[in-house]
Amino acid sequence: MAFFHISGPAHTEPFQKTASVAIAANSALSFEGTAGFVRQAVAASVRIAGINIKPIASTDGDYASNTTIPVLVPGDEDIFEADIQSGQTAVQGDVGKQYDLSANTDGTAQTVNRTGTTNKVVTVVGFISASKVYVKFNSNYVYANKAN
């Protein structure tokens, strides 16, 4: 359950993480309030900073610190393989549609929520199977979501 970079020129940038919060590998990250730190995006997140490369666990030496972590910053050409939320089924007809991220707990990567269309964080650009699709992120810190 995560977002895996498949194609495109995405680049990696360092961002400071929120202290004392677990972050799953390959999970979408958003900016936390006005503090400027990144943490796992929640279902209501619309401004995606990028995809976490380094997992953060409570057993890590820097868990309680605002250390810098590598973040894959997606652009409009980047495509990611993504899982569909448990209990939902992807279909070819999802291609071109926009969906929200699933609700998640810290340390557990998000999935695509086919029933969520409020925040429209991703656009499905390809069908893989009933449980996987290709997506593009509609927004990140570089550009605003222009799609409706």
Side-chain angles (χ1 to χ4, degrees):
M1 295 186 180
F3 295 94
F4 296 98
H5 188 247
I6 300 300
S7 67
H11 64 281
T12 303
E13 290 190 17
F15 287 100
Q16 282 187 293
K17 68 173 183 63
T18 300
S20 302
V21 174
I23 303 174
N26 299 305
S27 61
L29 302 175
S30 64
F31 295 100
E32 179 181 30
T34 59
F37 300 116
V38 293
R39 68 176 299 153
Q40 280 192 202
V42 297
S45 297
V46 293
R47 194 166 177 222
I48 303 300
I51 306 301
N52 183 44
I53 296 172
K54 177 186 177 232
I56 305 297
S58 60
T59 55
D60 293 347
D62 65 346
Y63 177 73
S65 302
N66 297 112
T67 53
T68 300
I69 60 172
V71 175
L72 183 75
V73 180
D76 56 357
E77 295 178 28
D78 293 298
I79 297 174
F80 294 82
E81 180 181 308
D83 292 314
I84 295 295
Q85 183 171 312
S86 178
Q88 298 179 2
T89 303
V91 296
Q92 175 64 34
D94 289 334
V95 174
K97 294 183 179 173
Q98 298 179 334
Y99 296 114
D100 297 350
L101 298 177
S102 62
N104 66 295
T105 56
D106 290 331
T108 304
Q110 310 90 336
T111 56
V112 175
N113 177 3
R114 292 182 66 250
T115 62
T117 57
T118 303
N119 301 306
K120 300 180 180 178
V121 176
V122 297
T123 297
V124 176
V125 295
F127 172 77
I128 302 171
S129 70
S131 61
K132 293 186 182 296
V133 292
Y134 292 123
V135 299
K136 288 187 177 185
F137 283 88
N138 293 333
S139 65
N140 63 27
Y141 86 103
V142 176
Y143 61 95
N145 180 4
K146 305 262 191 248
N148 290 331

